[in-house]
Amino acid sequence: MRPTPPATHLPTAPPTRVRAVNDTPINHGGDFVLYWMIAYRRPAWNFALQHAIAHAAAAARPLVILEALRCDYPWASDRLHGFILDGMAANLRHLAARPVTYHPYVERTPGGGKGLLESLGRHACLVVTDDYPAFFLPRMVEAAGRKLPCRLEAVDHNGLLPLQAGVKYHSAAYHFRRHLQKVLPSHLEETPLPSPFDGVRLPRLPALPSSITERWPSAIDLIAASTRDCLAALPIDHGVSGGYAGGGITAGRGRLTRFVEGPLARYADERNLPGVEGASSLSPYLHFGHLSAHEIFWRVAKEEGWSLGDQSHETKGKREGWWHMSRGAEAFLDQLVTWREVGFNACVFDPRHGSFDSLPSWALRTLGRHELDARTHLYSFDELDQAETDDPLWNAAQTQLAREGRLHNYLRMLWGKKILEWSATPRDALDTMLRLNDRYALDGRDPNSLSGIFWCLGRYDRPWPERPIYGTVRSMSSPATARKVPVAEYLARYRPRAGRRRPSAPAG
Ligand SMILES: Cc1cc2nc3c(=O)[nH]c(=O)nc-3n(C[C@H](O)[C@H](O)[C@H](O)COP(=O)(O)OP(=O)(O)OC[C@H]3O[C@@H](n4cnc5c(N)ncnc54)[C@H](O)[C@@H]3O)c2cc1C
């Protein structure tokens, strides 16, 4: 369903990025326009927010932003909640002087937030939300579309390429890269506003209806007091806490600046070295929407003195040299754009993308043929969760994931491959990888979680020489990894603590 754009002088989101979730008309008598912020949790570089602002300006109505945090979503923990609450605190600061009513809501008991969106929707002209294609969000948005008494529009701001412009499922990064080289330049002309409130005048809402704020009070006090202190009282997984980074747009921008001014130049050579901070560590900020891929892209482009039109006009899918940027920037953009967005493409165009059977047929065949191969080690889920294997490098990787919520990309590949080797069946391996990654990783529960984990089982790859258990799926081993990249310091840093077991992941 294509919505009709509002008559406004302010830029809306590009039409290819906007989808009407229901066919309920706009309520022209509504009191405000509501932006339901569920995935792009940021006040800047945000097509969905920009779209909502344009609608509010066209209707001469106030804008309300609802950023809600449920406590019963899968894997809700101190770590994930803490990161999101940091983001809410940053949004509160950014939006304080803007013409908008920001309503951050934190659910205290499961189901406590039920009815909040509909109640706000009864007063709204229309609701704008984020069109994120993974985790429980698509189901939640479709359900909201059925219940809301006004129009619900979902805006896709997942990446540089609008999801619909992917056109079809791309089974290899190479094919997707070729497609990007053909169509991305025209989409790059559509850049979201870095500061969408600049120069915007909107009427102010004196207050939200008290029937709403009394039942679903704003979490402003709670956020301002101390993000971490309030977590203990919430019914979430307290066995997973801390993490390597704090959330929010300000923290994300700090990390982006440090990366662009330092490691970016060496990224092509150092991104694969565990123990060296050679990568950007931006994935949680991308996952929770605290930073947009556009802001990161244009920050790199600025550093490189690059502008649109400087890229090659070839469309042969070459990995390096297409952007006409430095080696480091080319390598980084291949991850940020090709590898990141091919995962989003699968979520939209392959309905089976989350199931084992979506693997390429050669991978299914070869894994099936080797399913009964003898395993030298068969570890239980609990042993893997607790990093209690006979492989010190794998244990270090699992320890880093559990302790910090991140895992270096190179070791992440080894981590997944070994789980395949140590599980009774490839389906069990898939289940274990998803559970561990989604529970511990700050950037988990993402389209990239699926592409990375399914890559370990053959997706986006080709057949390699045949081995036991793996068949022709690419294998990896810890001794080979230790020969390729220095791991001594990493092993020392992430040694599992003897005798202290973490609370295990809940049964799946
Ligand atoms: C088993 C396994 C599980 C993974 N699970 C996740 C996950 O849950 N969430 C997640 O975001 N990524 C996942 N990845 C991909 C990759 O490991 C991370 O994106 C990357 O390590 C994040 O660190 P960074 O931000 O420093 O990356 P950088 O190297 O700085 O790259 C910049 C951005 O590009 C994207 N990117 C980088 N490498 C990849 C890749 N291989 N595939 C897709 N996108 C990439 C990410 O958005 C990343 O933030 C997984 C990979 C594997 C092998």
Side-chain angles (χ1 to χ4, degrees):
M1 260 179 288
R2 269 287 150 74
T4 338
T8 168
H9 60 287
L10 294 176
T12 57
T16 40
R17 292 183 181 266
V18 185
R19 178 172 71 85
V21 180
N22 56 18
D23 52 14
T24 315
I26 289 181
N27 170 15
H28 293 286
D31 299 329
F32 50 76
V33 168
L34 177 66
Y35 172 35
W36 181 30
M37 183 187 263
I38 57 172
Y40 322 137
R41 294 173 178 266
R42 57 178 178 266
W45 294 86
N46 182 342
F47 275 130
L49 172 59
Q50 180 176 320
H51 195 70
I53 293 172
H55 268 289
R61 291 294 198 287
L63 177 67
V64 174
I65 298 179
L66 167 66
E67 184 178 5
L69 178 55
R70 288 166 57 168
C71 63
D72 62 349
Y73 65 89
W75 311 114
S77 65
D78 286 5
R79 175 174 294 162
L80 306 186
H81 254 56
F83 201 88
I84 297 171
L85 287 166
D86 286 347
M88 286 178 158
N91 289 344
L92 190 59
R93 283 192 299 275
H94 272 78
L95 295 169
R98 310 279 186 246
V100 59
T101 299
Y102 174 57
H103 190 71
Y105 171 75
V106 178
E107 195 178 59
R108 317 288 175 116
T109 49
K114 258 199 190 110
L116 168 58
L117 179 71
E118 278 164 86
S119 301
L120 281 168
R122 277 196 278 279
H123 300 267
C125 307
L126 97 155
V127 180
V128 175
T129 194
D130 308 328
D131 209 0
Y132 184 78
F135 203 29
F136 64 89
L137 273 64
R139 283 193 312 278
M140 181 175 78
V141 168
E142 292 313 312
R146 286 191 295 274
K147 284 187 200 152
L148 276 169
C150 64
R151 166 81 58 86
L152 173 62
E153 291 186 358
V155 176
D156 151 31
H157 191 173
N158 296 293
L160 300 188
L161 189 73
L163 293 175
Q164 289 311 318
V167 180
K168 61 172 185 160
Y169 174 65
H170 294 268
S171 60
Y174 166 74
H175 298 306
F176 188 60
R177 195 180 292 110
R178 280 194 69 178
H179 181 67
L180 283 171
Q181 293 176 353
K182 283 183 203 145
V183 302
L184 187 59
S186 64
H187 293 287
L188 277 178
E189 286 165 13
E190 296 165 333
T191 302
L193 296 170
S195 307
F197 284 104
D198 278 3
V200 172
R201 293 164 69 100
L202 294 177
R204 297 296 293 244
L205 191 73
L208 284 172
S210 57
S211 57
I212 292 180
T213 51
E214 276 163 19
R215 180 154 171 209
W216 298 284
S218 158
I220 283 181
D221 296 349
L222 190 137
I223 293 166
S226 164
T227 297
R228 311 287 167 188
D229 289 352
C230 68
L231 296 171
L234 300 178
I236 54 179
D237 180 356
H238 301 299
V240 180
S241 58
Y244 76 99
I249 187 167
T250 314
R253 283 179 168 168
R255 207 164 266 273
L256 174 59
T257 299
R258 287 195 295 283
F259 173 68
V260 168
E261 292 176 354
L264 176 64
R266 304 181 298 279
Y267 182 84
D269 300 316
E270 295 191 350
R271 68 174 285 262
N272 276 336
L273 303 181
V276 173
E277 294 285 333
S280 69
S281 299
L282 289 174
S283 55
Y285 300 95
L286 282 160
H287 171 69
F288 287 110
H290 293 167
L291 283 186
S292 94
H294 277 93
E295 178 167 5
I296 299 174
F297 173 82
W298 283 110
R299 183 65 210 276
V300 170
K302 187 170 167 218
E303 194 71 17
E304 295 279 312
W306 184 92
S307 33
L308 197 54
D310 288 351
Q311 77 279 1
S312 162
H313 296 290
E314 281 190 0
T315 56
K316 293 184 181 153
K318 266 179 27 191
R319 204 166 28 191
E320 272 183 49
W322 186 77
W323 292 101
H324 291 162
M325 292 195 198
S326 68
R327 253 186 92 228
E330 295 264 347
F332 178 69
L333 292 182
D334 199 46
Q335 300 303 324
L336 179 75
V337 190
T338 311
W339 278 102
R340 177 169 181 273
E341 297 194 15
V342 78
F344 282 83
N345 170 270
C347 289
V348 176
F349 291 102
D350 180 2
R352 299 176 314 158
H353 66 276
S355 84
F356 183 81
D357 298 321
S358 69
L359 284 169
S361 48
W362 67 266
L364 285 173
R365 261 196 317 276
T366 194
L367 289 171
R369 249 187 247 130
H370 287 267
E371 191 159 322
L372 298 178
D373 289 0
R375 269 73 175 151
T376 42
H377 296 281
L378 202 54
Y379 295 111
S380 67
F381 177 82
D382 201 37
E383 285 167 322
L384 294 170
D385 186 15
Q386 300 293 329
E388 288 170 349
T389 76
D390 296 303
D391 182 330
L393 186 53
W394 192 91
N395 293 343
Q398 170 62 18
T399 302
Q400 183 188 17
L401 179 64
R403 200 185 284 169
E404 295 184 349
R406 71 165 156 178
L407 185 48
H408 185 276
N409 181 56
Y410 199 77
L411 294 179
R412 217 165 185 170
M413 298 193 283
L414 174 73
W415 173 87
K417 294 287 185 183
K418 298 301 287 185
I419 292 178
L420 169 60
E421 195 180 313
W422 296 333
S423 298
T425 68
R427 282 176 197 269
D428 288 354
L430 172 63
D431 182 57
T432 300
M433 284 190 265
L434 287 170
R435 283 172 67 192
L436 293 178
N437 192 72
D438 283 352
R439 183 185 189 213
Y440 292 117
L442 273 168
D443 64 11
R445 308 150 310 280
D446 190 88
N448 279 346
S449 320
L450 296 176
S451 28
I453 287 168
F454 276 84
W455 175 87
C456 293
L457 301 169
R459 182 184 285 175
Y460 302 134
D461 209 356
R462 62 176 172 82
W464 289 73
E466 193 149 4
R467 296 273 164 89
I469 305 170
Y470 291 91
T472 55
V473 167
R474 184 199 302 239
S475 66
M476 283 176 80
S477 80
S478 295
T481 303
R483 280 195 299 276
K484 265 194 200 147
V485 295
V487 294
E489 199 194 312
Y490 184 84
L491 281 169
R493 195 184 313 162
Y494 297 110
R495 192 169 293 133
R497 290 190 193 112
R500 282 187 55 195
R501 288 176 72 83
R502 287 185 308 277
S504 294

